[in-house]
Amino acid sequence: MMEAILALGIGVLAGSGVWLLLRPRTFQVIVGLSLIAYAVNLFIFSMGGLRSGAPPILHARTAGDAAQYADPLPQALVLTAIVIGFATTALFLVVVLASRGLTGTDHVDGRERES
Amino acid sequence: MRLLVCIAFAAALGSLYAGGFVPGRLAPTGFDPAFALVWAIGIVCAVGAAYQAKFHRLASLILLAGAGLVTCVTFVWMSAPDLALTQLVVDTVTTVLLLLGLRWLPKRIEDPDARASFGRAFRPRRLVDLAIAIAAGAGLSALAYVAMTQPVPDSISRYFVEHAYTKGGGTNIVNVILVDFRGFDTFGEITVLGVVALAVYALLRRFRPAPESVDIPEQQRVQDAFDDADPDRRRGDSIAHSMMTPALIMRLLFPAIGMFAVFLLLRGHDLPGGGFVAGLTMAVAFILQYMAGGTTWVEARLRVLPVRWMGLGLSVAALTGAGAWFFLHPFLTSHFFYLELPLIGAVPFATALLFDIGVFLLVVGATVLILIALGHQSVRAQRAALLRTPEPAAQAIAKQ
């Protein structure tokens, strides 16, 4: 049941993100990418299986038994992904601001649609 | 963009079809209403952020942070304390970053008349986009459900769990993977972070804001007018008075947050924490000073040299890695490295800690550099504007 809830949540995050990604304004795209980043991070994280109350921290200073702990590998991958996500958001935001200064619009194409 | 999204979706659908859509037989976990409630909030936040992103950017940003918080709670729930910590601090920093950026985007006010005609013209396009978005969301949902209910295959994780202490010398397996087993990855990653920070800095050095957003923001004008009207007040008094208590608290918090960051750094190898989250926490401490005192106040009293922090961090990490060469081992770490290097006493003072300190320094430097560079634009753009229009500027300066 927990899996279904989380899967639904991931789906909604990703769906909202994709919708925003297809919008014409740059700020919408930034928010959309952040939402997709959440969804993808949760998705990768959930690949290790959901377990509560079993953080991957060894109880004793010996070799651990893999069955006792949540899967540490997806967690390590997602941890770096979160930090890199911040860096890309920052870079994207600054590129957006620079493009806005140069073109005078916040449209993703750099010019307003003629219509 | 639509084409890209559709191709990605088709590729995912293709592989799902090839693999067969079979929900796993794993015994389902129990239903927890609290978890459902948390995700109900998360879903509302995500949809709300999507809905508000065009006209109410601030609301959208707050809702985005709400979705991030729900993600964070999920990490705590599903036994990933390290991720939750990092997510929490990264969310804080991202929100500050986007708030700083908001100032330079054009105002966009909802206009009911324009909305009606606009809606008709673009309805087909919006409907197609909506369909794509719903399909993508539903597809990822299904994929995630199927993947989560499969029994977890026996992966290399077993190796990490079994050898985290015997070969890496730490009990926090996630941190040991990051700074030891996969140290070279992390080294590459902090390099990327440093490069991004420098790119942001360089881009902002030549930043030309759009003409209409150079002006002093409306709120500040209102405050200035209020201060000018009253002979007893000087410009900037309003903001100084309303910020007095928070500013005092923020200043007092600086050493506390700094100590907490070091604490997170030092315990990282054995308990939740580590270089990344510690570095971000330290960066938050610096940013709070900027919020409390203003750019000029802080820089008159505190010399933050983020580029040096970054350089130092990368050097520490690289030298730690190169140190392995003196023991005739490959760069950074292979797991054999720790077998022969003695651990000092019962304390797992592995060279991984030095590496983590390098990560810490670089993350502090990069984050602070990005945020400060963006924050400086407000000060710089107005100065540039004053230089461009000397007449009124001279009067304004004379008045101050």
Side-chain angles (χ1 to χ4, degrees), chain B residues 90-320:
Chain B
V90 165
D91 264 351
T92 315
V93 178
T94 310
T95 309
V96 174
L97 176 85
L98 290 178
L99 279 174
L100 283 171
L102 272 186
R103 157 135 176 38
W104 302 107
L105 288 171
K107 278 188 191 159
R108 201 160 283 289
I109 292 162
E110 202 165 9
D111 177 2
D113 296 339
R115 192 188 165 87
S117 63
F118 174 86
R120 265 196 299 284
F122 290 100
R123 179 158 297 156
R125 188 198 159 95
R126 290 167 73 89
L127 282 178
V128 172
D129 286 353
L130 188 65
I132 294 176
I134 290 175
L140 191 62
S141 223
L143 195 61
Y145 184 70
V146 173
M148 271 188 265
T149 46
Q150 302 293 337
V152 180
D154 194 24
S155 67
I156 49 172
S157 309
R158 173 183 295 280
Y159 174 85
F160 290 135
V161 176
E162 281 166 4
H163 295 87
Y165 189 72
T166 49
K167 287 183 177 167
T171 53
N172 180 359
I173 305 170
V174 175
N175 185 271
V176 172
I177 293 177
L178 282 176
V179 297
D180 190 337
F181 293 125
R182 310 292 306 157
F184 198 62
D185 276 359
T186 310
F187 186 64
E189 194 206 338
I190 58 172
T191 313
V192 169
L193 199 61
V195 170
V196 165
L198 288 177
V200 166
Y201 182 60
L203 271 171
L204 284 174
R205 295 260 302 192
R206 289 270 168 274
F207 175 59
R208 292 258 177 285
E212 77 265 21
S213 47
V214 170
D215 250 356
I216 300 174
E218 194 184 333
Q219 292 86 339
Q220 208 174 332
R221 256 199 313 262
V222 171
Q223 285 170 2
D224 281 350
F226 180 72
D227 289 343
D228 286 345
D230 190 336
D232 293 338
R233 300 170 78 94
R234 283 181 302 126
R235 275 198 172 199
D237 273 1
S238 298
I239 184 78
H241 290 171
S242 60
M243 281 293 285
M244 193 171 275
T245 314
L248 186 66
I249 294 172
M250 286 175 192
R251 268 169 219 156
L252 289 176
L253 271 178
F254 183 67
I257 300 178
M259 203 172 74
F260 181 59
V262 174
F263 168 70
L264 280 176
L265 172 68
L266 292 180
R267 80 201 284 254
H269 215 47
D270 281 342
L271 292 162
F276 282 111
V277 62
L280 287 162
T281 311
M282 195 66 210
V284 168
F286 280 120
I287 297 310
L288 276 179
Q289 298 317 298
Y290 272 80
M291 284 185 186
T295 316
T296 33
W297 186 89
V298 175
E299 274 163 19
R301 288 161 179 76
L302 184 71
R303 275 167 65 80
V304 192
L305 299 166
V307 180
R308 297 217 182 144
W309 284 72
M310 281 166 57
L312 191 66
L314 207 54
S315 318
V316 167
L319 287 177
T320 310

Side-chain angles (χ1 to χ4, degrees), chain B residues 214 380-394 396-397 400:
Chain B
V214 170
R380 210 173 65 96
Q382 273 165 32
R383 211 162 46 212
L386 288 180
L387 288 178
R388 249 176 276 147
T389 51
E391 277 292 311
I397 291 170
Q400 284 173 359

Side-chain angles (χ1 to χ4, degrees), chain A residues 1-109 112-115, chain B residues 1-2 5 26 28-32 35-36 39 42-43 46-47 49-50 53-54 57 60-61 64-65 67-68 71 74-75 77-83 86-87 90-91 93-94 97-98 101-102 104-106 108 122 125-126 129-130 132-133 136-138 140-141 143-145 147-149 152 155-158 160-162 164-166 169-174 177-178 186 189 192-193 196 199-200 203-204 207-210 212-213 270-272 276 280 346 348 367 370 374:
Chain A
M1 212 40 215
M2 297 290 245
E3 283 86 358
I5 298 170
L6 186 58
L8 187 68
I10 291 175
V12 173
L13 284 176
S16 311
V18 169
W19 160 259
L20 283 174
L21 209 58
L22 298 169
R23 297 296 90 220
R25 300 290 155 196
T26 45
F27 182 74
Q28 293 171 308
V29 177
I30 294 182
V31 174
L33 277 178
S34 304
L35 283 174
I36 292 185
Y38 291 146
V40 170
N41 284 345
L42 281 169
F43 182 75
I44 298 176
F45 166 68
S46 66
M47 291 302 98
L50 299 183
R51 298 185 60 175
S52 34
I57 290 164
L58 297 173
H59 303 311
R61 296 185 177 279
T62 49
D65 172 16
Q68 276 183 16
Y69 304 97
D71 198 344
L73 189 60
Q75 297 195 13
L77 296 178
V78 171
L79 192 97
T80 54
I82 293 173
V83 178
I84 288 293
F86 163 69
T88 50
T89 309
L91 187 61
F92 185 44
L93 180 75
V94 171
V95 169
V96 160
L97 293 182
S99 124
R100 154 114 176 97
L102 287 175
T103 62
T105 167
D106 66 339
H107 197 283
V108 282
D109 294 336
E112 296 292 328
R113 173 188 295 268
E114 304 91 21
S115 60
Chain B
M1 198 71 227
R2 282 155 110 185
V5 172
L26 203 68
T29 41
F31 175 75
D32 192 328
F35 193 68
W39 268 103
I43 287 171
V47 175
K54 184 160 188 185
R57 299 204 185 100
S60 170
L61 203 55
L64 177 70
T71 308
T74 310
F75 285 145
W77 208 303
M78 297 306 168
S79 39
D82 277 296
L83 291 189
T86 315
Q87 180 79 56
V90 165
D91 264 351
V93 178
T94 310
L97 176 85
L98 290 178
L102 272 186
W104 302 107
L105 288 171
R108 201 160 283 289
F122 290 100
R125 188 198 159 95
R126 290 167 73 89
D129 286 353
L130 188 65
I132 294 176
L140 191 62
S141 223
L143 195 61
Y145 184 70
M148 271 188 265
T149 46
V152 180
S155 67
I156 49 172
S157 309
R158 173 183 295 280
F160 290 135
V161 176
E162 281 166 4
Y165 189 72
T166 49
T171 53
N172 180 359
I173 305 170
V174 175
I177 293 177
L178 282 176
T186 310
E189 194 206 338
V192 169
L193 199 61
V196 165
V200 166
L203 271 171
L204 284 174
F207 175 59
R208 292 258 177 285
E212 77 265 21
S213 47
D270 281 342
L271 292 162
F276 282 111
L280 287 162
T367 317
I370 291 172
L374 207 51

